[in-house]
């Protein structure tokens, strides 16, 4: 079978290279039965649409963020300040982690199989201006573009910024002309990919843990014979395991790339990070919990707390 | 009907323009964000597009290339060409309508919501099937009108 | 698969030729892909409809509405009188007024129709009265009207930036250079051609009179002249996105039209709203289906295959660019500007990347070619509208129009392709 796989980054980006390697592994393991054709740069549409098209079986696979439109509980994946460091992230989002398992269940409801989690980075703030107090959460009058996702808008506000919901397609230009002064909702890798020319300051505030998922349409998987399917699953498992070993270094590399282009990487102390986390947990979590179902969400948060 | 179309379409386009305007004012002048305004504006915007297209069908003012028409001289030839055009429109249109219906059923089943205010997207998704159905109705009317004028044209020719 | 894609395009062109409304022409091509190829429709309506939700596209109806309000309200007329104060008395000056006014109106309107719709009814009778042949006046204004698509903002550049993921602001600037060059070309052509006309001229005003007349008309035109300042200043000054600027243009033009120039009345305001919505609805539905078609092409890797087969013919950059201009000229003969961009830009962009033409320069190439398509028969919407407004037979307008196209337009088209700085200088200046 020839499977079409979408992802959101340009050709030759890290994930593109990794996915091509994955495709080679699958082709070899299945003796050429399963070939995977990679469509980079959202050529098959943005991730929200792609997820829906995977759900109906129109596209086979993707590696991308979770879209929350069809199920708001999927917001649990990008809950702000859920993990504080890489070890915690691995415990929560890695194999056997509570968020990972929860997401697999939620995907299953949409006729989608989650094959792997793909840890990307801890989120930060990219500014085209200076921020004299990068560690403070007091209102600073800096306008930032936020994606149209409630938790990001509330997080930006809690951290002292003025959130402005500008569509992604207009975001770069908006920062460049000064309609907004920066962007929240991505991390060093994302900012390097899309905003590197307008990033003067990068604040590694660990706003959220960005994790993407390799997902496949149940319909497409049903079309594979058992051996091929097992080989695909095994390759995905290996793909994820490898990624967990390089993700942290990859994040550091991308921060360095921003610095090499002249961006200031604002240093934050552990206390400052803890204060940010505390404020966001107090102000944003209750709001988002209301949306996803307080009982359901709290149960997961409890499990996260015990895992850490 | 024409008055109704005027009021409806002008109201829709003005609502959409005002929404964008408010966005600029709140961001640039007042410096306070309006959460969810953008996703709310999506609903009148999509209805504006679709009802605009329906009105184009009603007025028979869809963009047409009409290259062949320039080379035809008699009224009969023009009517036959118009009939052919409407028949093709109907065949293709019903096929598209079927897929729009498929999309509507999907949208009903999944009941997606907008990201911050959780407004069901079905309310804009349904515009497509409604719009195409109305367009088919108007296209059929135009076809009927052309067929009836066929008699007159033969007399004249 | 590439054969099926070619059949789909052939059916598209056939339906176009038969006069089938554009959305169904694309629908027909979809049916070919679906029944003859092995592409699926499942999930495609969903995809296409979500594309329409992109706020970038919203700029289209808003710029169209702003343009319609301008021509109804007297805003355009006051601009025209202002420009006329400078050069109206010079031999052939009135023709220059037409070109320059269309360029200024182009800085407010995003479409190629506003110029002829706003200027035509005023200037065509006036030019005829002064001794210009009516069909020449009509052809000149219709051709200049295209500047609406080349002087930013521009609907075609919005669509190009959207389908190719290129900065819309950079695309705007890319067509500005070629647009101004065309304006100058038309002005010079007009001065040269006017020698043969038997023109009635105003007496040369004394310098003092001229200054006071310019001041008077300038004062009157100030609210109108502020419009491009607000739109372009707002966009490039970091106050608003292009879509928001289009909305601000509408919000600004309504009270100015109602209260200051008073040309706008409740009745024609309602008509303007309906006209803009209808024009845009027809375009949007076509965009919906053409996006689905191009998505089918992407899924079948048609663009890459196409590039491969083109390279088998030649990989000489200059020859390829000339061939592409010829192709775009032919496409422009049968389809309108937005259609041409949606259809061609994603197909040819990989080829442009391969031969080292930047997406921004390609924006300018697409921009000037598709704009010219508006006046090249057989499908020449802007020229036909001009003929209707000027009350002349289409066949009478075509000869003078062709002279202007060949002398004023075609050289710029080739310059844009072969001289990158013409389109890239301004975007670079602004840091794109
Ligand atoms: Na323009
Ligand atoms: Na044409």
């Amino acid at each position: 079978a020839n499977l079409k796989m979408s992802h959101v980054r340009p050709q030759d980006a890290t994930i593109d290279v990794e996915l091509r390697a994955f495709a080679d592994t699958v082709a070899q393991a299945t003796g050429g039965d399963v070939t995977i054709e990679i469509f980079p740069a959202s050529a098959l549409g943005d991730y929200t649409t792609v997820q829906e098209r995977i759900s109906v079986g129109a596209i086979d696979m993707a590696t991308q963020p979770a879209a929350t439109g069809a199920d708001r509980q999927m917001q649990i994946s990008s809950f702000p300040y859920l993990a504080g460091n890489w070890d915690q992230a691995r415990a929560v989002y890695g194999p056997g982690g509570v968020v990972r398992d929860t997401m697999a269940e939620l995907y299953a409801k949409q006729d989608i199989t989650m094959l792997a989690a793909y840890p990307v980075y801890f989120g930060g703030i990219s500014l085209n201006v200076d921020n004299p107090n990068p560690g403070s959460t007091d209102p600073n009058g800096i306008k930032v573009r936020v994606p149209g996702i409630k938790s990001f808008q509330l997080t930006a506000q809690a951290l002292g910024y003025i959130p402005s919901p500008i569509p992604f397609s207009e975001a770069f230009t908006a920062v460049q002309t000064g309609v907004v002064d920066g962007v929240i909702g991505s991390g060093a890798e994302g900012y390097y990919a899309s905003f590197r020319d307008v990033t003067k300051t990068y604040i590694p505030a660990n706003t959220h843990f960005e994790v993407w998922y390799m997902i496949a349409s149940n319909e497409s998987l049903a079309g594979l014979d058992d051996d091929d399917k097992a080989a695909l699953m095994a390759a995905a498992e290996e793909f994820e395991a490898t990624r967990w070993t390089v993700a942290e270094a990859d994040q550091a590399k991308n921060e360095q790339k921003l610095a090499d282009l002249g961006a200031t990487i604002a240093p934050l102390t552990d206390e400052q990070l803890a204060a940010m986390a505390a404020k966001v947990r107090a102000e944003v979590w209750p709001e988002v919990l209301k949306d996803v179902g307080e009982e359901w969400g709290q149960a997961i948060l409890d499990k996260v707390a015990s895992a850490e | 009907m024409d008055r109704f179309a005027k009021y409806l379409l002008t109201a829709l386009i003005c609502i959409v323009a005002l929404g964008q305007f408010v966005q600029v004012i709140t961001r640039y002048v007042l410096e306070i964000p309006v959460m969810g305004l953008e996703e709310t504006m999506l609903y009148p915007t999509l209805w504006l597009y679709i009802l605009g297209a329906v009105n184009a069908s009603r007025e028979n003012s869809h963009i047409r290339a009409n290259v062949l028409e320039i080379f035809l001289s008699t009224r009969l030839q023009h009517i036959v060409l118009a009939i052919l055009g409407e028949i093709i429109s109907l065949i293709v249109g019903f096929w598209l309508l079927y897929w729009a219906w498929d999309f509507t059923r999907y949208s009903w089943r999944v009941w997606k919501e907008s990201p911050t205010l959780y407004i069901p997207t079905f309310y804009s998704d349904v515009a497509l099937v409604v719009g195409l159905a109305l367009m088919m109705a108007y296209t059929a009317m135009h076809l009927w009108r052309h067929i009836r004028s066929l008699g007159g044209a033969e007399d004249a020719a | 698969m590439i054969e099926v894609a070619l059949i789909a395009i052939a059916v598209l062109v056939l339906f176009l030729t038969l006069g089938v409304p554009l959305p169904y022409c694309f629908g027909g091509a979809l049916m070919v892909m679906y029944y003859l190829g092995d592409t699926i429709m499942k999930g495609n309506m969903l995809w296409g409809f979500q594309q329409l939700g992109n706020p970038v596209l919203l700029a289209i109806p808003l710029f169209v509405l702003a343009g319609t309000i301008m021509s109804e309200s007297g805003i355009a007329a006051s601009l025209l009188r202002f420009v006329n104060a400078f050069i109206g008395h010079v031999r052939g000056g009135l023709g220059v007024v037409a070109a320059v006014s269309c360029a200024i109106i182009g800085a407010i309107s995003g479409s190629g129709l506003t110029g002829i719709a706003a200027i035509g009814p005023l200037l065509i009778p006036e030019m005829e009265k002064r001794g210009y042949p009516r069909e020449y006046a009509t052809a000149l204004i219709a051709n200049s009207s295209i500047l609406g698509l080349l002087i930013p903002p521009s609907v075609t550049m919005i669509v190009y930036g959207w389908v190719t993921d290129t900065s819309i602001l950079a695309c705007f600037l890319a067509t500005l250079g070629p647009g101004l060059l065309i304006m100058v070309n038309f002005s010079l052509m007009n001065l040269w051609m006017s020698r043969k006309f038997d023109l009635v001229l105003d007496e040369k005003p004394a310098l003092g009179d001229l200054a006071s007349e310019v001041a008077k008309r300038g004062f009157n035109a100030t609210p109108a002249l502020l419009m491009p300042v607000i739109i372009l200043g707002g966009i490039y000054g970091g106050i608003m996105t292009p879509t928001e600027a289009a909305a601000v243009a509408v919000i600004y033009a309504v009270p100015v039209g109602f209260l200051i120039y008073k040309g706008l009345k409740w009745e024609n305001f309602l008509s303007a709203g309906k006209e803009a919505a209808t024009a845009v609805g027809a375009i949007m539905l076509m965009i919906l289906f053409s996006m689905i078609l191009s998505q089918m092409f992407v899924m079948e890797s048609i663009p890459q295959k196409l590039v491969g087969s083109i390279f088998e013919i030649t990989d000489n950059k200059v020859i390829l660019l000339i061939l592409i201009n010829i192709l775009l000229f032919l496409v422009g003969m049968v389809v309108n500007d937005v259609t041409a961009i949606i259809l061609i830009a994603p197909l040819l962009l990989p080829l442009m990347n391969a031969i080292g033409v930047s997406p921004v320069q390609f924006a300018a190439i697409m921009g000037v070619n598709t704009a010219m398509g508006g006046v090249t028969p057989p499908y020449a919407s802007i020229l036909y509208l001009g003929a209707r407004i000027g009350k002349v037979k289409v066949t009478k307008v075509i000869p003078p129009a062709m002279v202007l196209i060949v002398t004023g337009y075609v050289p710029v088209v080739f310059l844009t392709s072969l001289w990158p700085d013409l389109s890239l200088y301004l975007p670079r200046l602004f840091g794109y």
Side-chain angles (χ1 to χ4, degrees), chain A residues 52 72 75 148 153 163 165 291, chain B residues 33 35 38 106 112-113 115 118:
Chain A
E52 286 183 68
R72 46 172 113 162
Q75 291 187 36
Q153 298 181 355
D291 293 346
Chain B
M35 299 265 195
E38 194 179 270
Y106 165 83
K112 253 184 319 167
E113 296 165 325
Y118 303 114

Side-chain angles (χ1 to χ4, degrees), chain B residues 99-120:
Chain B
W99 286 107
W101 172 241
D102 186 63
F103 166 54
T104 309
R105 279 189 322 186
Y106 165 83
S107 176
W108 176 263
R109 176 167 65 79
V110 174
W111 204 255
K112 253 184 319 167
E113 296 165 325
S114 70
T116 50
L117 300 180
Y118 303 114
I119 308 169

